[in-house]
Amino acid sequence: MCATGGSGLSTLKYGTSKENVRSMLVVTPQGELIRTRAKTRKSSTGYELNALYLGAEGTLGLIVEITVRIVPLPKLRCGAVVRFPSVGQAAQTTSDVVAMNLSTLLRCELMNDEGIKVTNTVFKTTLPCAPTLFLEFVGNRKEEMLSDWDSFRARAVANGAESHTFAEDGAQLDALWDARRGCYLGAMRYRGLESGTNSKEKVYVGDVCVPASKLSECIAITEREFKKARFPCVICAHIADGNFHCLIPFQESERAALLALEDKVIGHAIALGGSASGEHGVGIGKQKYLILEHGGAHIDVQRRIKRALDPLNIMNPGKIISWDPSDAERIGPQRPELARL
Ligand SMILES: Cc1cc2nc3c(=O)[nH]c(=O)nc-3n(C[C@H](O)[C@H](O)[C@H](O)COP(=O)(O)OP(=O)(O)OC[C@H]3O[C@@H](n4cnc5c(N)ncnc54)[C@H](O)[C@@H]3O)c2cc1C
């Protein structure tokens, strides 16, 4: 999680790993052990090395110890699912509610209607096929959580929510959330069940992130591209973060079509001011989008950091930043179709 700068379903309340790691011990490529920063809340003594190593995917050093912020476990949980006529209305509600800064709202996740359909097919549930927000509230005082839920529901109704189901305790809540937790497995089994072969498929997981104000536009474009490419479009979104996963079941014979679709989805997200990856990282597969997202000069700064800190290129070579600038230059101009988006 530290090496990929990862995050998850509770980011809305607690932040990503980048916000929760206070200090780290890192072994440099030269074999020295360094502490990235003091363990204090504030420190203003030079470059922020914590930020440099978090999300570096092991390309600059090996993390061997972390110091994290801890928070007390809340005693109570409750939550709801809320259904909307459109993803746009769900996204608008989410951005309204994020601005209200509800202190007990832990999670706010979206599944699109096709995602719900897949869940119904695979898990034999009978959920209404509509864009659905999944919510969880946590705290130590029930009144506070219910008051936050009332505020949420009022915004949702004002934005045209069609219906909701409320779960007043943890057990009911877990049952409500099963659909969201099962979406990866659902995508894996969906087409096999539909076709009667019962086979499981590989699942590609996309991970774009866009500014909250662009989320509904980006999801609408993405759904359209999927329809054109004839892949089922299962979207599970960390919607409060503007980050969404497209789960695409595919066969090896469809790999070229899948990669073409990935180019389009990521290209649109970047054109809307977004990022190719919100939490999964770059590795090898997303290198080709880096210049499109950041520009050549930015990537050159990243390459110079890599070359300065790891001159022998021994730390996870070939990941994130290409060693040779001509590799990066080759990637950019050869992808004019993305530059036009
Ligand atoms: C189905 C699926 C769902 C996912 N969902 C989420 C999600 O909700 N949120 C999220 O954040 N991510 C998610 N991911 C991605 C996930 O963050 C990464 O796969 C995860 O961080 C990998 O952890 P790992 O321990 O397996 O690391 P590895 O795969 O072993 O390593 C990940 C990277 O970190 C580097 N690394 C490993 N250890 C160290 C170290 N000690 N020091 C420096 N670098 C190191 C490796 O070189 C590699 O580049 C998901 C992935 C999949 C396949």
Side-chain angles (χ1 to χ4, degrees):
M1 291 290 286
C2 296
T4 55
S7 50
L9 301 183
S10 308
T11 303
L12 174 60
K13 184 169 170 63
Y14 296 119
T16 71
S17 57
K18 292 182 180 178
E19 281 106 39
N20 283 282
V21 174
R22 192 147 281 177
S23 176
M24 300 190 292
L25 282 181
V26 173
V27 179
T28 68
Q30 292 72 33
E32 289 156 331
L33 188 64
I34 60 162
R35 178 164 291 288
T36 52
R37 69 191 293 286
K39 295 179 188 176
T40 50
R41 177 156 185 242
K42 290 165 67 176
S43 169
S44 182
T45 51
Y47 298 129
E48 181 49 273
L49 294 191
N50 228 33
L52 183 62
Y53 289 103
L54 285 166
E57 300 181 25
T59 58
L60 301 177
L62 183 71
I63 301 165
V64 291
E65 184 188 296
I66 58 172
T67 304
V68 292
R69 189 173 77 98
I70 52 172
V71 290
L73 270 180
K75 294 194 182 94
L76 302 170
R77 303 163 62 212
C78 68
V81 293
V82 187
R83 301 165 200 101
F84 291 84
S86 71
V87 167
Q89 286 156 295
Q92 184 58 52
T93 301
T94 306
S95 82
D96 292 352
V97 167
V98 168
M100 289 157 70
N101 202 15
L102 303 178
S103 66
T104 68
L105 182 58
L106 172 70
R107 298 175 176 153
C108 176
E109 298 277 308
L110 170 86
M111 274 179 80
N112 68 341
D113 45 1
E114 192 149 17
I116 300 282
K117 182 175 155 213
V118 165
T119 300
N120 283 343
T121 306
V122 174
F123 300 107
K124 311 288 178 233
T125 46
T126 52
L127 303 167
C129 275
T132 302
L133 288 181
F134 292 74
L135 311 175
E136 179 168 343
F137 298 88
V138 292
N140 295 329
R141 291 177 50 236
K142 198 168 180 181
E143 318 79 76
E144 204 182 340
M145 291 153 61
L146 292 179
S147 158
D148 281 353
W149 161 235
D150 283 345
S151 304
F152 194 108
R153 193 179 46 193
R155 281 317 310 157
V157 169
N159 285 320
E162 280 172 339
S163 64
H164 70 265
T165 308
F166 180 70
E168 61 181 284
D169 62 39
Q172 284 178 27
L173 183 65
D174 288 340
L176 272 190
W177 270 76
D178 274 352
R180 169 63 185 89
R181 295 205 178 91
C183 57
Y184 184 80
L185 202 60
M188 197 187 268
R189 295 186 47 206
Y190 177 59
R191 293 200 304 184
L193 284 175
E194 284 275 276
S195 64
T197 60
N198 218 10
S199 60
K200 287 185 187 162
E201 294 185 300
K202 290 182 186 163
V203 176
Y204 163 90
V205 185
D207 179 40
V208 296
C209 192
V210 291
S213 59
K214 302 289 181 193
L215 187 70
S216 66
E217 185 181 352
C218 194
I219 291 183
I221 295 171
T222 301
E223 288 182 325
R224 217 167 49 227
E225 293 291 0
F226 271 71
K227 225 169 233 143
K228 272 197 258 166
R230 295 172 190 277
F231 280 103
C233 182
V234 179
I235 290 184
C236 298
H238 306 307
I239 187 169
D241 307 324
N243 180 205
F244 67 92
H245 302 308
C246 302
L247 308 177
I248 315 177
F250 71 100
Q251 307 272 339
E252 267 316 306
S253 57
E254 297 171 302
R255 188 172 280 275
L258 172 73
L259 292 178
L261 182 57
E262 179 190 45
D263 276 359
K264 288 200 171 118
V265 170
I266 293 181
H268 285 305
I270 291 174
L272 290 169
S275 175
S277 175
E279 59 185 23
H280 291 176
V282 176
I284 298 170
K286 295 206 173 63
Q287 283 178 330
K288 59 190 174 187
Y289 305 112
L290 288 186
I291 288 187
L292 191 67
E293 179 173 333
H294 295 295
H298 170 123
I299 292 306
D300 197 44
V301 171
Q302 293 216 22
R303 183 177 302 101
R304 279 186 277 150
I305 292 171
K306 166 71 176 169
R307 292 180 83 126
L309 296 188
D310 181 21
L312 298 178
N313 196 18
I314 57 173
M315 302 304 297
N316 211 3
K319 309 294 163 25
I320 308 188
I321 297 294
S322 56
W323 185 253
D324 184 342
S326 64
D327 287 349
E329 279 153 20
R330 185 171 49 78
I331 292 166
Q334 282 197 353
R335 301 177 69 76
E337 77 283 8
L338 288 183
R340 273 203 311 274
L341 286 169

